[in-house]
Amino acid sequence: SNSTEVDPNHSFLQFFGNDRTGVVAGQRWSQDWEGRPPKILWKVPIGEGWAGFAVTGNLAITVHQTSQGEATVAMDCRDGKTRWETPLSAIRHFHPLGGAGPRMTPTIDGSSVYVFGAAGDLQCLKLSSGEVIWKRNLLEEVGLSKAQAEEAV
């Protein structure tokens, strides 16, 4: 149903949530998913990656691997439709230990979204539109290649 409302007071603004506890305050979930499974409101395909979602109001934001590279996407929580999508980097990230795609969860702070790509691309985006406010490549700034950065882990 497209009339589903998301309480704007409930948010999950970063990896493991607002307090990094993995808990959404005030939400009560059924413990019996076999007898009372959650109702699926929508499903949409998404690219590869290991990113979680950051949520605020009616926007759910993540990063994923597209055919053009890594991208940040904002979807409407009520219907799953893409509200905006912004390229992050023009690489196809792949590592034998984890497969393809980006490895981070966006962070929302006020009207900004922060994302960090596998090739060192750090972006600050406008929450409402996905417009790039600023960007930097941290690997270039410290003089490391992507391969050198992965070896250091």
Side-chain angles (χ1 to χ4, degrees):
S1 166
N2 288 347
S3 65
T4 303
E5 287 299 317
V6 175
D7 184 343
N9 295 317
H10 291 284
S11 59
F12 202 81
L13 302 176
Q14 62 183 330
F15 183 70
F16 271 150
N18 302 346
D19 299 318
R20 295 204 173 207
T21 62
V23 174
V24 179
Q27 287 296 112
R28 299 194 58 89
W29 303 95
S30 169
Q31 300 290 317
D32 181 15
W33 281 26
E34 285 188 33
R36 295 180 46 215
K39 180 181 173 186
I40 296 173
L41 299 177
W42 50 266
K43 283 186 186 184
V44 295
I46 193 163
E48 296 173 283
W50 290 94
F53 281 85
V55 179
T56 187
N58 290 321
L59 284 181
I61 302 169
T62 193
V63 293
H64 66 128
Q65 188 75 51
T66 70
S67 59
Q68 289 81 38
E70 297 175 321
T72 306
V73 62
M75 292 176 265
D76 194 302
C77 292
R78 297 166 293 190
D79 57 19
K81 292 184 178 167
T82 297
R83 296 297 173 228
W84 53 260
E85 187 163 18
T86 303
L88 175 58
S89 67
I91 67 149
R92 173 165 173 74
H93 177 70
F94 181 86
H95 192 278
L97 295 177
R103 308 287 199 257
M104 60 77 60
T105 298
T107 296
I108 300 169
D109 183 29
S111 62
S112 299
V113 178
Y114 298 90
V115 292
F116 187 64
D121 296 297
L122 176 64
Q123 288 182 340
C124 176
L125 308 173
K126 193 173 192 178
L127 176 65
S128 61
S129 66
E131 174 188 345
V132 177
I133 298 169
W134 55 260
K135 62 183 176 180
R136 297 169 71 171
N137 185 287
L138 299 186
L139 293 182
E140 288 175 6
E141 288 188 25
V142 297
L144 287 176
S145 70
K146 184 173 163 287
Q148 288 171 319
E150 287 177 355
E151 287 175 14
V153 173

